[in-house]
Amino acid sequence: MIKVALPKGRIGEKALEVFEGFLQEKLCFENRKLILQKNDFCFMLVRNQDVPVYIKRGAADIGVVGLDVLEEQQSPLVRLLDLGFGRCKVVLGSPNGYVLDFSKPNLKIATKMENITKAFFARKALSVEVIKLYGSIELAPLVGMADAIVDLVETGDTMRQNNLKVDEVIMEVSAYLVANPNSFYSQKIKILKIRDFFKNRIK
């Protein structure tokens, strides 16, 4: 049995389509069910941020998750394949007309992604105050709580609509196929077969 953790939303739906091709069967979660069993597979729907947790703890063998989540959680999972879909960017942004001054002591940065933000500024040898938020990141600099934000953007529309600009792209993000290290060792042939199918399908 291969247990697969998929994120809710478009990335999970796209991955499930590929698994349909692999299994040659229609795959659909009924009603509000979070588990789907088909042949020798068990699929589970979880929040994107929780995918690595399920896999790390052995509740799932493999899964699909964004690179931003892997980097933020400093996840030890085996990164099998960059799937190339679910593309977006982690960016540093600030209000239009505001020049971000890196020489300013104790810049305040609002973000959901503390570890990615700290690592980015550490590479610049800059000390910043990271303000952890869970949503509406764009609001923080508009009300004077932060100088800038680090956030995930797809089209950039939300930033533009809130009079924010992109100052720097920190990292390009897409979905990854990942595996639990122990599962990869014990079910290597099956897991590599899945990886190769994904690889050929997304060319």
Side-chain angles (χ1 to χ4, degrees):
M1 174 75 72
I2 298 274
K3 295 168 289 183
V4 186
L6 296 176
K8 296 174 181 178
R10 284 180 299 166
I11 290 177
E13 289 164 8
K14 177 85 173 171
L16 202 62
E17 284 176 20
V18 181
F19 275 108
E20 284 183 344
F22 183 79
L23 292 173
Q24 295 291 294
E25 287 216 37
K26 182 70 178 169
L27 299 173
C28 182
F29 285 86
E30 293 178 15
N31 302 322
R32 293 176 178 268
K33 288 187 177 178
L34 301 174
I35 292 178
L36 167 64
Q37 289 195 305
K38 192 70 80 167
N39 299 338
D40 200 24
F41 281 77
C42 175
F43 298 94
M44 56 193 83
L45 277 184
V46 302
R47 283 188 66 208
N48 189 40
Q49 288 85 352
D50 293 336
V51 170
V53 182
Y54 278 82
I55 299 172
K56 182 181 174 182
R57 291 185 169 271
D61 300 303
I62 62 173
V64 173
V65 67
L67 179 62
D68 56 309
V69 177
L70 295 173
E71 290 293 317
E72 178 60 24
Q73 296 184 13
Q74 299 167 346
S75 177
L77 304 181
V78 179
R79 299 181 187 185
L80 297 167
L81 183 65
D82 179 353
L83 298 173
F85 53 77
R87 288 193 182 279
C88 43
K89 297 172 183 176
V90 176
V91 303
L92 174 68
S94 63
N96 289 328
Y98 175 77
V99 179
L100 196 55
D101 182 5
F102 288 119
S103 67
K104 178 182 175 182
N106 224 25
L107 275 174
K108 293 181 177 65
I109 311 295
T111 186
K112 295 178 189 173
M113 296 172 279
E114 284 181 285
N115 290 326
I116 288 173
T117 301
K118 287 175 180 174
F120 170 71
F121 282 101
R123 289 194 295 272
K124 290 182 176 289
L126 293 172
S127 175
V128 296
E129 181 184 344
V130 176
I131 301 168
K132 171 80 172 180
L133 294 176
Y134 295 89
S136 302
I137 309 296
E138 297 84 5
L139 184 61
L142 302 179
V143 297
M145 191 170 79
D147 297 291
I149 64 171
V150 169
D151 203 9
L152 193 65
V153 301
E154 190 172 356
T155 63
D157 284 347
T158 304
M159 285 185 68
R160 282 191 291 273
Q161 287 165 10
N162 286 286
N163 297 312
L164 298 173
K165 67 183 187 306
V166 173
D167 293 294
E168 196 166 337
V169 175
I170 295 175
M171 65 186 294
E172 303 273 351
V173 171
S174 53
Y176 270 67
L177 182 66
V178 294
N180 174 288
N182 293 330
S183 298
F184 184 62
Y185 180 77
S186 63
Q187 303 193 71
K188 193 169 187 177
I189 293 172
K190 283 184 182 178
I191 290 173
L192 286 178
K193 193 174 178 183
I194 294 165
R195 183 204 64 182
D196 291 344
F197 186 86
F198 266 84
K199 197 172 183 177
N200 291 327
R201 180 59 69 94
I202 63 175
K203 275 181 181 176

